[in-house]
Amino acid sequence: MNEATLFRQLADLLVRHRAREKADPLLRPHEPDALARLLELERPAKGDWRQILAWLEAYLEHSVKTGHPGFLNRMWSGANLPSILAEMVVAVSNTSACTYEAAPVSTLMERYMLETMLELVGFDEGEGQMTSGSSQGNLVAMLAARNERLQTAKEEGLWRQPPLYAFVSAEAHYSLDKAANVLGIGTDHLRKVAVDRRGRMDPDALADELERCRRDGGRPFFVCATLGTTVRGAYDPLEPLAALREEYGFWLHGDGAWGGAALLDDRLRRRFLTGVERLDSFTWDFHKMPGTNLTCNMLLFNGRRDGFRCACSAGEHSYLFREESDTHPLDLGVGSLQCARRVDSLKWFLDWKYFGKKGLARRVRRYLELAEYAERRVGEMAELEMVAPRESFNVCFRYRAARKNDCNDLNLRLRHRLLRQGAALVGVGWIGEKLALRLLITHPDFDETAVDRFLEQVAAAGRELDRLSPDREA
Ligand SMILES: *Cc1c(COP(=O)(O)O)cnc(C)c1O
């Protein structure tokens, strides 16, 4: 088979897949052994294009249909068409976005988008990088903060240095614990600050922690505000945190992986992100609410023009980056933790151009509207209840089990049941002692009817499980 035929066959395959994606079940579930047999993993295929195409078809067939309206598990679903096209072109042209020399178009697009986002956030004299996601974004922000606070940390490590402490809310993302591990801060030195009853970091509790840390001879160097927590969707209050920075001099980072999308709409920005332009750094995933193909992230620094290089560059790399070349200042790899960098800029650029800020803002407003609608519907359905009042985009609710002490377990089984039926893949999260089903709407085709259908499926599965429960009371 020649290349042109292969591309045409692949295109046919993709078109067929896309046409069925939303109507087919979300997944045809198999146990891993059964799926492995179906995939014929041991089968040889030397030079056999038919078999290669067969595996591509099998891959699509047995994948979770993330563009299906029942895919509610993660903070993303499906992907925007311009970015899908971009990913294909990126695969064909295959390069690393580390030097201008090897990736001229990508470098200029990435720089253009980063400048556009710095302006959107309101960072002056800032700089940015695309990273692999907000986990790496949080890591690099903490690294920059560490090295700014301890000027010799890069060379000398943390030996004989004063003990550093970082602070996040008790409901922050686990990537910050990982960052504390990787950077030698230690997870015990990542202090989890109490949240208020709405799940937002309590600034008074932070002030107490900072004071205690200083009294004990520690150095508070980094505070991360979560802007849209993963489970509840709570936004930490930025103004009081920025006020504490005046006194303690820490680096104030914003983890907007999920909730940063509120920046796209001026009214939502005022409601959720007042003070965002005062942060030292900010990370935001374009692969979550905005719908760009995975992965697409930006990390932005405020008021710094050489922060990434200072934080990240190390070692002898003159084989790649040469100071004498004209294009060297454009090379994004110099300030990256990676050597090879995926080209993530093309899909971001095309989505931004195609939908525009206005189009994406409309989408984010709509997600919020649908979350409001879902909360209202949960309130109206006797069998369902909210586990915590909705803060923003996350709807944390559950089925009210007939046996009260069975509720967490039943909701977990309910979730598996919906998946086995190929109906829905919904996330869960703990709020205190209670397990919540976490409805996250991130698909542009999702509407009120889809909300109703999903909630009805949850209620029906719950009734079924209640009925099956052998030792049910009354
Ligand atoms: C999703 C998420 C992350 C992790 O982002 P990745 O891009 O998956 O690495 C970090 N923080 C918050 C609040 C998140 O919701």
Side-chain angles (χ1 to χ4, degrees), residues 75 132-136 138 173 175 226 228-230 255 257-258 285 287-288:
M75 308 187 114
S132 60
S134 285
S135 300
Q136 194 189 134
N138 288 335
H173 192 258
S175 54
T226 310
T229 53
T230 311
D255 177 0
W258 167 240
D285 282 342
H287 65 236
K288 288 184 171 171

Side-chain angles (χ1 to χ4, degrees), residues 365-438:
R365 280 199 307 270
R366 177 82 177 127
Y367 292 157
L368 190 64
E369 202 177 281
L370 287 167
E372 283 161 11
Y373 176 77
E375 181 185 37
R376 199 160 65 241
R377 289 294 297 139
V378 166
E380 287 163 4
M381 292 171 73
E383 293 152 306
L384 306 181
E385 66 183 354
M386 293 294 287
V387 175
R390 189 182 49 81
E391 273 301 304
S392 63
F393 300 90
N394 311 31
V395 184
C396 295
F397 75 106
R398 65 177 181 174
Y399 178 78
R400 289 180 200 257
R403 280 166 48 97
K404 279 287 160 269
N405 56 4
D406 196 27
C407 206
N408 290 338
D409 180 55
L410 184 129
N411 276 281
L412 205 52
R413 283 187 290 132
L414 188 160
R415 168 185 191 268
H416 295 320
R417 192 178 182 84
L418 290 177
L419 179 59
R420 271 200 314 278
Q421 293 168 345
L425 178 49
V426 64
V428 290
W430 289 93
I431 299 181
E433 304 280 292
K434 294 182 181 172
L435 185 86
L437 302 173
R438 188 183 56 147

Side-chain angles (χ1 to χ4, degrees), residues 234-288:
Y235 285 78
D236 291 345
L238 290 174
E239 299 287 5
L241 302 192
L244 284 167
R245 176 179 54 188
E246 303 303 314
E247 192 179 339
Y248 292 90
F250 50 76
W251 176 299
L252 182 57
H253 171 64
D255 177 0
W258 167 240
L263 270 176
L264 291 162
D265 181 79
D266 296 338
R267 204 172 50 82
L268 296 186
R269 176 189 178 126
R270 278 195 302 278
R271 176 161 161 201
F272 293 119
L273 291 167
T274 295
V276 67
E277 67 287 343
R278 299 177 65 189
L279 290 168
D280 292 293
S281 57
F282 174 69
T283 179
W284 170 18
D285 282 342
F286 237 71
H287 65 236
K288 288 184 171 171

Side-chain angles (χ1 to χ4, degrees), residues 96-118:
S96 163
C98 102
T99 58
Y100 177 82
E101 212 168 61
V105 186
S106 170
T107 301
L108 294 185
M109 284 180 172
E110 182 167 342
R111 290 203 170 271
Y112 170 79
M113 286 306 295
L114 290 166
E115 287 300 327
T116 307
M117 293 299 133
L118 285 165

